[in-house]
Amino acid sequence: ALSSAASDVYKRQMERIVGGMDMDYMTLREASEKWGISTRQINYYCTEDRIPGAVKMAGVWLIPKDAEKPADGRTRQGRKNRE
């Protein structure tokens, strides 16, 4: 795991590479805390292209800060919302 300072530096570099100054990204961990679900579940959403604008750079998923949590397709309510 990266230290907090190293993580911040890495994120700033990735933001410059991916979207220039107009796009802000969050990591899987940040999205996990924001949406209240596991990083693993968010990883599945990313690989299934269910989070618009999510990109994988150098093995790390970057998710737009304004992205909304996808519906959980494992629940009846989530399946209904995806249709």
Side-chain angles (χ1 to χ4, degrees):
L2 292 172
S3 71
S4 178
S7 177
D8 290 345
V9 168
Y10 181 75
K11 260 194 324 197
R12 282 196 304 274
Q13 290 172 338
M14 295 308 286
E15 286 171 2
R16 270 196 302 258
I17 293 167
V18 174
M21 296 302 164
D22 58 339
M23 282 293 277
D24 269 344
Y25 290 89
M26 57 185 164
T27 62
L28 290 181
R29 183 178 295 154
E30 291 169 327
S32 170
E33 292 169 4
K34 179 178 177 182
W35 294 339
I37 57 177
S38 70
T39 56
R40 188 71 181 131
Q41 189 64 39
I42 296 168
N43 189 59
Y44 283 130
Y45 290 152
C46 290
T47 58
E48 294 170 357
D49 290 330
R50 292 187 47 205
I51 302 176
V55 292
K56 192 169 191 178
M57 292 288 293
V60 177
W61 280 105
L62 298 173
I63 301 163
K65 286 201 184 225
D66 59 355
E68 293 191 18
K69 176 183 170 184
D72 188 343
R74 299 171 300 168
T75 64
R76 183 173 292 148
Q77 182 71 30
R79 283 192 299 270
K80 188 176 94 177
N81 289 341
R82 282 182 68 190
E83 293 172 354

Coordinates of all heavy atoms in Angstrom, one line a residue:
A1 N 0.8 -1.2 0.0 CA 0.0 0.0 0.0 C 0.9 1.3 0.0 O 1.9 1.3 0.6 CB -0.9 0.0 1.2
L2 N 0.4 2.3 -0.7 CA 1.1 3.5 -0.7 C 0.9 4.3 0.5 O -0.2 4.3 1.1 CB 0.7 4.3 -2.0 CG 1.0 3.8 -3.3 CD1 0.4 4.6 -4.4 CD2 2.5 3.8 -3.6
S3 N 1.8 5.1 0.9 CA 1.6 6.1 2.0 C 0.6 7.1 1.5 O 0.4 7.3 0.3 CB 2.9 6.7 2.4 OG 3.4 7.6 1.4
S4 N 0.1 7.9 2.4 CA -0.9 8.9 2.1 C -0.3 10.0 1.1 O -0.9 10.3 0.1 CB -1.4 9.6 3.3 OG -2.3 10.6 3.0
A5 N 0.9 10.4 1.5 CA 1.6 11.4 0.6 C 1.9 10.9 -0.8 O 1.7 11.6 -1.8 CB 2.9 11.9 1.3
A6 N 2.4 9.6 -0.8 CA 2.7 9.0 -2.1 C 1.4 8.9 -2.9 O 1.4 9.1 -4.2 CB 3.4 7.7 -2.0
S7 N 0.3 8.5 -2.3 CA -1.0 8.3 -2.9 C -1.5 9.6 -3.5 O -2.0 9.7 -4.6 CB -2.0 7.8 -1.9 OG -3.2 7.6 -2.5
D8 N -1.3 10.7 -2.8 CA -1.7 12.0 -3.2 C -0.9 12.5 -4.4 O -1.5 13.0 -5.4 CB -1.6 13.1 -2.1 CG -2.6 12.9 -1.0 OD1 -3.6 12.2 -1.2 OD2 -2.4 13.5 0.1
V9 N 0.4 12.3 -4.4 CA 1.2 12.6 -5.6 C 0.8 11.8 -6.8 O 0.7 12.3 -7.9 CB 2.7 12.4 -5.2 CG1 3.6 12.5 -6.5 CG2 3.2 13.4 -4.2
Y10 N 0.6 10.5 -6.6 CA 0.2 9.6 -7.7 C -1.1 10.1 -8.3 O -1.2 10.1 -9.5 CB 0.1 8.2 -7.1 CG -0.3 7.2 -8.2 CD1 0.7 6.7 -9.1 CD2 -1.5 6.6 -8.2 CE1 0.3 5.8 -10.1 CE2 -1.9 5.7 -9.2 CZ -1.0 5.3 -10.1 OH -1.3 4.4 -11.1
K11 N -2.1 10.4 -7.4 CA -3.4 10.8 -7.9 C -3.3 12.1 -8.7 O -3.9 12.2 -9.8 CB -4.3 11.1 -6.7 CG -5.3 9.9 -6.5 CD -6.4 10.2 -5.6 CE -6.1 11.1 -4.5 NZ -7.1 11.2 -3.4
R12 N -2.5 13.1 -8.2 CA -2.3 14.3 -9.0 C -1.7 14.1 -10.4 O -2.1 14.6 -11.4 CB -1.5 15.3 -8.2 CG -2.2 16.0 -7.1 CD -1.5 17.2 -6.6 NE -0.2 17.0 -6.1 CZ 0.2 16.6 -4.9 NH1 -0.8 16.4 -4.0 NH2 1.4 16.4 -4.6
Q13 N -0.7 13.2 -10.4 CA -0.1 12.8 -11.7 C -1.1 12.2 -12.6 O -1.2 12.5 -13.8 CB 1.1 11.9 -11.5 CG 2.3 12.6 -10.8 CD 3.4 11.6 -10.5 OE1 3.2 10.4 -10.3 NE2 4.6 12.1 -10.3
M14 N -1.9 11.3 -12.1 CA -2.9 10.6 -12.9 C -3.9 11.5 -13.4 O -4.4 11.4 -14.6 CB -3.5 9.4 -12.1 CG -2.6 8.3 -11.8 SD -1.6 7.7 -13.1 CE -2.9 6.7 -14.0
E15 N -4.4 12.5 -12.6 CA -5.4 13.4 -13.0 C -4.9 14.3 -14.2 O -5.6 14.5 -15.1 CB -5.8 14.4 -11.9 CG -6.6 13.7 -10.9 CD -6.9 14.5 -9.6 OE1 -6.4 15.6 -9.5 OE2 -7.5 14.0 -8.7
R16 N -3.6 14.7 -14.2 CA -3.0 15.4 -15.3 C -2.9 14.6 -16.5 O -3.3 15.1 -17.6 CB -1.6 15.9 -14.9 CG -1.5 17.2 -14.2 CD -0.2 17.8 -14.2 NE 0.8 16.8 -13.6 CZ 1.2 16.9 -12.4 NH1 0.9 18.0 -11.6 NH2 2.0 16.0 -11.9
I17 N -2.6 13.3 -16.4 CA -2.4 12.5 -17.6 C -3.8 12.2 -18.2 O -3.9 12.3 -19.4 CB -1.7 11.1 -17.2 CG1 -0.3 11.4 -16.7 CG2 -1.8 10.1 -18.3 CD1 0.4 10.2 -16.1
V18 N -4.7 11.8 -17.4 CA -6.0 11.3 -17.9 C -6.9 12.5 -18.5 O -7.3 12.4 -19.6 CB -6.8 10.6 -16.8 CG1 -8.2 10.2 -17.3 CG2 -6.0 9.3 -16.4
G19 N -7.2 13.5 -17.6 CA -8.2 14.4 -18.1 C -7.7 15.9 -18.1 O -8.5 16.8 -18.3
G20 N -6.5 16.1 -17.9 CA -6.0 17.5 -17.9 C -6.6 18.1 -16.6 O -6.8 17.5 -15.6
M21 N -6.8 19.4 -16.6 CA -7.3 20.1 -15.4 C -8.8 20.1 -15.2 O -9.3 20.5 -14.2 CB -6.8 21.5 -15.4 CG -5.3 21.6 -15.4 SD -4.6 20.8 -14.0 CE -2.9 20.7 -14.4
D22 N -9.5 19.7 -16.3 CA -11.0 19.8 -16.2 C -11.7 18.6 -15.6 O -12.8 18.6 -15.3 CB -11.6 20.1 -17.6 CG -11.2 19.0 -18.6 OD1 -10.2 18.3 -18.3 OD2 -11.9 18.9 -19.6
M23 N -11.0 17.5 -15.4 CA -11.6 16.3 -14.8 C -11.0 15.9 -13.5 O -9.8 15.9 -13.3 CB -11.4 15.1 -15.8 CG -12.3 15.1 -17.0 SD -14.0 14.9 -16.5 CE -14.1 13.1 -16.4
D24 N -11.8 15.6 -12.5 CA -11.4 15.2 -11.2 C -11.7 13.7 -11.1 O -12.9 13.3 -11.4 CB -12.0 16.0 -10.1 CG -11.2 17.2 -9.7 OD1 -10.0 17.2 -10.0 OD2 -11.8 18.0 -9.0
Y25 N -10.8 12.9 -10.6 CA -11.0 11.5 -10.4 C -10.9 11.1 -9.0 O -10.2 11.7 -8.2 CB -10.1 10.7 -11.3 CG -10.3 10.8 -12.7 CD1 -9.8 11.8 -13.5 CD2 -11.2 9.9 -13.4 CE1 -10.0 11.9 -14.8 CE2 -11.4 10.0 -14.7 CZ -10.8 11.0 -15.5 OH -11.1 11.1 -16.8
M26 N -11.6 10.0 -8.6 CA -11.4 9.4 -7.3 C -11.0 7.9 -7.5 O -11.2 7.3 -8.5 CB -12.7 9.4 -6.5 CG -13.9 8.8 -7.1 SD -15.3 9.1 -6.0 CE -16.7 8.7 -7.2
T27 N -10.3 7.4 -6.5 CA -9.9 6.0 -6.5 C -11.0 5.1 -6.1 O -12.1 5.5 -5.7 CB -8.7 5.8 -5.6 OG1 -9.1 6.1 -4.2 CG2 -7.5 6.7 -5.9
L28 N -10.7 3.8 -6.3 CA -11.7 2.8 -5.8 C -12.0 3.0 -4.3 O -13.2 2.9 -3.9 CB -11.2 1.4 -6.0 CG -11.1 0.9 -7.5 CD1 -10.6 -0.6 -7.5 CD2 -12.5 1.0 -8.2
R29 N -11.0 3.2 -3.5 CA -11.2 3.4 -2.1 C -12.1 4.6 -1.8 O -13.0 4.5 -1.0 CB -9.9 3.5 -1.4 CG -10.0 3.6 0.1 CD -8.7 3.7 0.8 NE -8.0 2.5 0.7 CZ -6.6 2.4 0.7 NH1 -5.9 3.4 0.9 NH2 -6.0 1.2 0.5
E30 N -11.8 5.7 -2.5 CA -12.6 6.9 -2.3 C -14.1 6.7 -2.7 O -15.0 7.1 -2.0 CB -12.0 8.1 -3.0 CG -10.7 8.5 -2.5 CD -10.0 9.5 -3.4 OE1 -10.1 9.4 -4.6 OE2 -9.3 10.4 -2.9
A31 N -14.3 6.0 -3.8 CA -15.6 5.7 -4.3 C -16.3 4.8 -3.3 O -17.5 4.9 -3.0 CB -15.6 5.1 -5.7
S32 N -15.6 3.8 -2.7 CA -16.1 2.9 -1.8 C -16.6 3.6 -0.5 O -17.7 3.3 0.0 CB -15.0 1.9 -1.4 OG -15.4 1.1 -0.3
E33 N -15.9 4.6 0.0 CA -16.3 5.3 1.1 C -17.5 6.2 0.8 O -18.4 6.4 1.6 CB -15.1 6.2 1.6 CG -14.0 5.4 2.2 CD -12.7 6.2 2.5 OE1 -12.7 7.4 2.3 OE2 -11.7 5.5 2.9
K34 N -17.5 6.8 -0.4 CA -18.6 7.7 -0.8 C -19.9 7.0 -1.0 O -21.0 7.4 -0.6 CB -18.2 8.4 -2.1 CG -19.2 9.4 -2.7 CD -18.7 10.0 -3.9 CE -19.8 10.9 -4.5 NZ -19.3 11.5 -5.8
W35 N -19.8 5.8 -1.6 CA -21.0 5.0 -2.0 C -21.4 4.0 -0.9 O -22.5 3.4 -1.0 CB -20.9 4.4 -3.3 CG -20.8 5.4 -4.5 CD1 -21.2 6.7 -4.5 CD2 -20.2 5.1 -5.7 NE1 -20.9 7.3 -5.7 CE2 -20.3 6.3 -6.5 CE3 -19.6 4.0 -6.4 CZ2 -19.8 6.4 -7.8 CZ3 -19.2 4.2 -7.7 CH2 -19.3 5.4 -8.4
G36 N -20.5 3.7 0.0 CA -20.8 2.7 1.0 C -20.9 1.2 0.5 O -21.6 0.4 1.0
I37 N -20.0 0.9 -0.5 CA -19.9 -0.4 -1.0 C -18.4 -0.8 -1.1 O -17.6 0.1 -1.0 CB -20.6 -0.6 -2.3 CG1 -20.0 0.3 -3.4 CG2 -22.1 -0.5 -2.2 CD1 -20.6 0.2 -4.8
S38 N -18.1 -2.1 -1.2 CA -16.7 -2.5 -1.2 C -16.0 -2.1 -2.5 O -16.6 -1.8 -3.5 CB -16.7 -4.0 -1.1 OG -17.1 -4.6 -2.3
T39 N -14.7 -2.0 -2.3 CA -13.8 -1.6 -3.5 C -13.9 -2.7 -4.6 O -13.9 -2.5 -5.7 CB -12.3 -1.5 -3.1 OG1 -11.9 -2.7 -2.4 CG2 -12.2 -0.3 -2.2
R40 N -14.1 -4.0 -4.1 CA -14.3 -5.1 -5.1 C -15.5 -4.9 -5.9 O -15.5 -5.2 -7.1 CB -14.3 -6.4 -4.3 CG -14.3 -7.6 -5.2 CD -12.9 -7.8 -5.8 NE -12.9 -8.9 -6.7 CZ -12.4 -8.9 -7.9 NH1 -11.9 -7.8 -8.4 NH2 -12.4 -9.9 -8.7
Q41 N -16.6 -4.5 -5.3 CA -17.9 -4.3 -6.1 C -17.7 -3.2 -7.1 O -18.1 -3.3 -8.2 CB -19.0 -4.0 -5.1 CG -20.4 -4.0 -5.8 CD -20.8 -5.3 -6.3 OE1 -20.5 -6.4 -5.7 NE2 -21.4 -5.3 -7.5
I42 N -17.0 -2.1 -6.7 CA -16.7 -1.0 -7.6 C -15.9 -1.5 -8.8 O -16.0 -1.1 -9.9 CB -16.1 0.2 -6.9 CG1 -17.1 0.7 -5.9 CG2 -15.7 1.3 -7.9 CD1 -16.6 1.7 -4.9
N43 N -14.9 -2.3 -8.5 CA -14.0 -2.9 -9.5 C -14.9 -3.7 -10.5 O -14.6 -3.5 -11.7 CB -13.0 -3.8 -8.9 CG -11.9 -4.2 -9.9 OD1 -11.2 -3.4 -10.4 ND2 -11.8 -5.5 -10.1
Y44 N -15.8 -4.5 -10.1 CA -16.7 -5.2 -11.0 C -17.5 -4.2 -11.8 O -17.6 -4.4 -13.0 CB -17.7 -6.0 -10.2 CG -17.2 -7.3 -9.7 CD1 -17.4 -7.7 -8.3 CD2 -16.4 -8.2 -10.5 CE1 -16.8 -8.8 -7.8 CE2 -15.9 -9.4 -9.9 CZ -16.1 -9.7 -8.6 OH -15.6 -10.9 -8.1
Y45 N -18.0 -3.1 -11.2 CA -18.7 -2.1 -12.0 C -17.9 -1.5 -13.1 O -18.3 -1.3 -14.2 CB -19.3 -1.0 -11.1 CG -20.4 -1.4 -10.2 CD1 -20.6 -0.7 -9.0 CD2 -21.3 -2.4 -10.5 CE1 -21.6 -1.1 -8.1 CE2 -22.3 -2.7 -9.6 CZ -22.5 -2.1 -8.4 OH -23.5 -2.4 -7.6
C46 N -16.6 -1.2 -12.8 CA -15.7 -0.7 -13.7 C -15.4 -1.6 -14.9 O -15.5 -1.2 -16.1 CB -14.4 -0.3 -13.1 SG -14.5 1.1 -11.9
T47 N -15.1 -2.9 -14.6 CA -14.8 -3.9 -15.6 C -16.0 -4.1 -16.5 O -15.9 -4.5 -17.7 CB -14.3 -5.2 -15.1 OG1 -15.2 -5.7 -14.2 CG2 -13.0 -5.0 -14.4
E48 N -17.2 -4.0 -16.0 CA -18.5 -4.2 -16.7 C -18.9 -2.9 -17.4 O -20.1 -2.8 -18.0 CB -19.6 -4.7 -15.8 CG -19.3 -6.1 -15.3 CD -20.3 -6.5 -14.2 OE1 -21.1 -5.7 -13.8 OE2 -20.1 -7.6 -13.7
D49 N -18.1 -1.8 -17.4 CA -18.4 -0.5 -18.1 C -19.7 0.1 -17.5 O -20.5 0.7 -18.3 CB -18.5 -0.7 -19.6 CG -17.2 -0.9 -20.2 OD1 -16.2 -0.5 -19.6 OD2 -17.1 -1.6 -21.3
R50 N -20.0 -0.1 -16.2 CA -21.2 0.4 -15.6 C -21.0 1.8 -15.0 O -22.0 2.4 -14.5 CB -21.8 -0.6 -14.6 CG -22.3 -1.8 -15.4 CD -23.0 -2.8 -14.5 NE -24.0 -2.2 -13.7 CZ -24.4 -2.8 -12.5 NH1 -23.9 -3.9 -12.2 NH2 -25.3 -2.2 -11.8
I51 N -19.8 2.3 -15.0 CA -19.5 3.6 -14.5 C -19.0 4.5 -15.6 O -17.8 4.3 -16.0 CB -18.5 3.6 -13.3 CG1 -19.0 2.7 -12.2 CG2 -18.2 5.0 -12.8 CD1 -18.0 2.5 -11.0
P52 N -19.8 5.3 -16.2 CA -19.4 6.2 -17.3 C -18.2 7.0 -17.0 O -18.1 7.6 -15.9 CB -20.6 7.0 -17.6 CG -21.8 6.3 -17.0 CD -21.2 5.6 -15.8
G53 N -17.2 7.0 -17.8 CA -16.0 7.9 -17.6 C -14.9 7.2 -16.8 O -13.8 7.8 -16.7
A54 N -15.1 6.0 -16.3 CA -14.1 5.4 -15.5 C -13.0 4.9 -16.5 O -13.3 4.3 -17.5 CB -14.7 4.2 -14.7
V55 N -11.8 5.1 -16.1 CA -10.6 4.7 -16.9 C -9.6 3.9 -16.1 O -9.5 4.2 -14.9 CB -10.0 5.9 -17.6 CG1 -10.9 6.5 -18.7 CG2 -9.5 6.9 -16.6
K56 N -8.9 3.0 -16.7 CA -7.9 2.3 -16.0 C -6.5 2.8 -16.5 O -6.2 2.7 -17.7 CB -8.0 0.8 -16.3 CG -7.2 -0.1 -15.4 CD -7.6 -1.5 -15.5 CE -6.9 -2.3 -14.4 NZ -7.3 -3.7 -14.4
M57 N -5.8 3.3 -15.6 CA -4.4 3.8 -16.0 C -3.4 3.1 -15.1 O -3.5 3.1 -13.9 CB -4.3 5.3 -15.7 CG -5.2 6.1 -16.7 SD -4.6 6.2 -18.3 CE -3.1 7.1 -18.1
A58 N -2.4 2.5 -15.7 CA -1.3 1.9 -15.0 C -1.8 0.9 -13.9 O -1.3 0.8 -12.8 CB -0.4 2.9 -14.3
G59 N -2.9 0.2 -14.3 CA -3.5 -0.8 -13.4 C -4.4 -0.3 -12.3 O -4.8 -1.0 -11.4
V60 N -4.7 1.0 -12.3 CA -5.5 1.6 -11.3 C -6.7 2.2 -11.9 O -6.7 3.0 -12.9 CB -4.7 2.8 -10.6 CG1 -5.6 3.5 -9.5 CG2 -3.5 2.2 -9.9
W61 N -7.9 1.9 -11.4 CA -9.2 2.5 -11.9 C -9.3 3.9 -11.4 O -9.1 4.1 -10.2 CB -10.4 1.7 -11.5 CG -10.6 0.5 -12.3 CD1 -10.3 -0.8 -12.0 CD2 -11.1 0.4 -13.7 NE1 -10.6 -1.7 -13.0 CE2 -11.1 -0.9 -14.1 CE3 -11.6 1.4 -14.6 CZ2 -11.6 -1.3 -15.3 CZ3 -12.0 1.0 -15.8 CH2 -12.0 -0.3 -16.2
L62 N -9.6 4.8 -12.2 CA -9.9 6.2 -11.9 C -11.4 6.5 -12.3 O -11.8 6.3 -13.4 CB -9.0 7.2 -12.6 CG -7.5 7.0 -12.2 CD1 -6.7 7.9 -13.1 CD2 -7.3 7.3 -10.8
I63 N -12.2 6.9 -11.3 CA -13.6 7.1 -11.5 C -13.9 8.6 -11.3 O -13.4 9.3 -10.4 CB -14.4 6.4 -10.4 CG1 -14.0 4.9 -10.5 CG2 -15.9 6.6 -10.5 CD1 -14.3 4.1 -9.2
P64 N -14.7 9.2 -12.3 CA -15.0 10.6 -12.2 C -15.7 10.9 -10.9 O -16.5 10.2 -10.4 CB -16.0 10.9 -13.4 CG -15.7 9.8 -14.3 CD -15.2 8.6 -13.5
K65 N -15.3 12.0 -10.2 CA -15.8 12.4 -8.9 C -17.3 12.6 -9.0 O -18.0 12.4 -8.0 CB -15.1 13.6 -8.4 CG -13.7 13.3 -7.9 CD -13.2 14.3 -6.9 CE -11.8 14.0 -6.5 NZ -11.4 14.0 -5.2
D66 N -17.8 13.0 -10.1 CA -19.3 13.3 -10.2 C -20.1 12.1 -10.7 O -21.3 12.1 -10.9 CB -19.5 14.5 -11.1 CG -19.0 14.3 -12.6 OD1 -18.3 13.2 -12.8 OD2 -19.2 15.1 -13.4
A67 N -19.4 10.9 -10.8 CA -20.1 9.7 -11.2 C -21.1 9.3 -10.2 O -20.9 9.4 -9.0 CB -19.1 8.6 -11.5
E68 N -22.2 8.7 -10.6 CA -23.2 8.2 -9.7 C -23.1 6.7 -9.5 O -22.6 6.0 -10.4 CB -24.6 8.5 -10.2 CG -24.9 10.0 -10.2 CD -26.4 10.3 -10.5 OE1 -27.2 9.4 -10.3 OE2 -26.6 11.5 -10.9
K69 N -23.4 6.3 -8.3 CA -23.3 4.8 -7.9 C -24.3 4.1 -8.9 O -25.5 4.4 -8.9 CB -23.7 4.6 -6.5 CG -23.8 3.2 -6.0 CD -24.2 3.1 -4.6 CE -24.5 1.7 -4.2 NZ -25.0 1.6 -2.8
P70 N -23.8 3.0 -9.5 CA -24.6 2.2 -10.4 C -25.6 1.4 -9.5 O -25.4 1.1 -8.4 CB -23.7 1.2 -11.1 CG -22.3 1.8 -10.9 CD -22.4 2.6 -9.6
A71 N -26.8 1.0 -10.2 CA -27.7 0.2 -9.5 C -27.1 -1.2 -9.2 O -26.4 -1.7 -10.1 CB -29.0 0.1 -10.3
D72 N -27.5 -1.8 -8.1 CA -27.0 -3.1 -7.8 C -27.8 -4.1 -8.5 O -29.0 -4.4 -8.1 CB -27.0 -3.3 -6.3 CG -26.4 -4.6 -5.8 OD1 -26.2 -5.5 -6.7 OD2 -26.1 -4.7 -4.6
G73 N -27.3 -4.8 -9.5 CA -28.0 -5.7 -10.3 C -28.3 -7.0 -9.6 O -29.1 -7.9 -10.1
R74 N -27.8 -7.2 -8.4 CA -28.1 -8.4 -7.6 C -29.4 -8.4 -6.9 O -29.9 -9.4 -6.4 CB -27.0 -8.7 -6.6 CG -25.6 -8.8 -7.2 CD -24.5 -8.9 -6.2 NE -24.5 -7.6 -5.4 CZ -23.9 -7.4 -4.3 NH1 -23.1 -8.4 -3.8 NH2 -23.9 -6.3 -3.7
T75 N -30.0 -7.2 -6.8 CA -31.3 -7.0 -6.1 C -32.4 -6.8 -7.1 O -32.2 -6.4 -8.2 CB -31.2 -5.8 -5.1 OG1 -31.1 -4.6 -5.9 CG2 -30.1 -5.9 -4.1
R76 N -33.6 -7.1 -6.6 CA -34.8 -7.0 -7.5 C -34.9 -5.5 -7.9 O -35.2 -5.2 -9.1 CB -36.0 -7.4 -6.7 CG -37.3 -7.4 -7.6 CD -38.5 -8.0 -6.9 NE -38.2 -9.4 -6.7 CZ -38.6 -10.1 -5.7 NH1 -39.3 -9.6 -4.7 NH2 -38.4 -11.4 -5.7
Q77 N -34.8 -4.6 -7.0 CA -34.9 -3.1 -7.3 C -33.8 -2.7 -8.3 O -34.1 -2.0 -9.2 CB -34.7 -2.3 -6.0 CG -34.8 -0.8 -6.1 CD -36.3 -0.4 -6.4 OE1 -37.2 -1.0 -6.0 NE2 -36.4 0.6 -7.2
G78 N -32.6 -3.2 -8.1 CA -31.5 -2.8 -9.0 C -31.7 -3.4 -10.4 O -31.4 -2.7 -11.4
R79 N -32.2 -4.6 -10.5 CA -32.5 -5.2 -11.8 C -33.6 -4.4 -12.5 O -33.5 -4.1 -13.7 CB -32.9 -6.6 -11.7 CG -31.8 -7.6 -11.5 CD -32.2 -9.0 -11.6 NE -33.2 -9.4 -10.7 CZ -33.0 -9.9 -9.5 NH1 -31.8 -10.1 -9.0 NH2 -34.1 -10.2 -8.7
K80 N -34.6 -3.9 -11.8 CA -35.7 -3.1 -12.4 C -35.1 -1.8 -12.9 O -35.5 -1.4 -14.0 CB -36.8 -2.9 -11.3 CG -38.0 -2.3 -11.9 CD -39.1 -2.2 -10.8 CE -38.9 -0.8 -10.2 NZ -39.9 -0.5 -9.2
N81 N -34.2 -1.2 -12.2 CA -33.7 0.1 -12.6 C -32.8 0.0 -13.8 O -32.6 1.0 -14.5 CB -32.9 0.8 -11.4 CG -33.8 1.2 -10.3 OD1 -35.0 1.4 -10.5 ND2 -33.3 1.4 -9.1
R82 N -32.1 -1.1 -14.0 CA -31.2 -1.3 -15.1 C -31.9 -1.5 -16.4 O -31.4 -1.3 -17.5 CB -30.3 -2.4 -14.9 CG -29.2 -2.1 -13.9 CD -28.2 -3.2 -13.7 NE -27.4 -3.4 -14.9 CZ -26.6 -4.5 -15.1 NH1 -26.5 -5.4 -14.1 NH2 -26.0 -4.7 -16.2
E83 N -33.2 -1.9 -16.4 CA -33.9 -2.3 -17.6 C -34.4 -1.0 -18.3 O -34.5 0.0 -17.8 CB -35.1 -3.2 -17.3 CG -34.6 -4.5 -16.8 CD -35.8 -5.4 -16.3 OE1 -36.9 -4.9 -16.2 OE2 -35.5 -6.5 -16.0

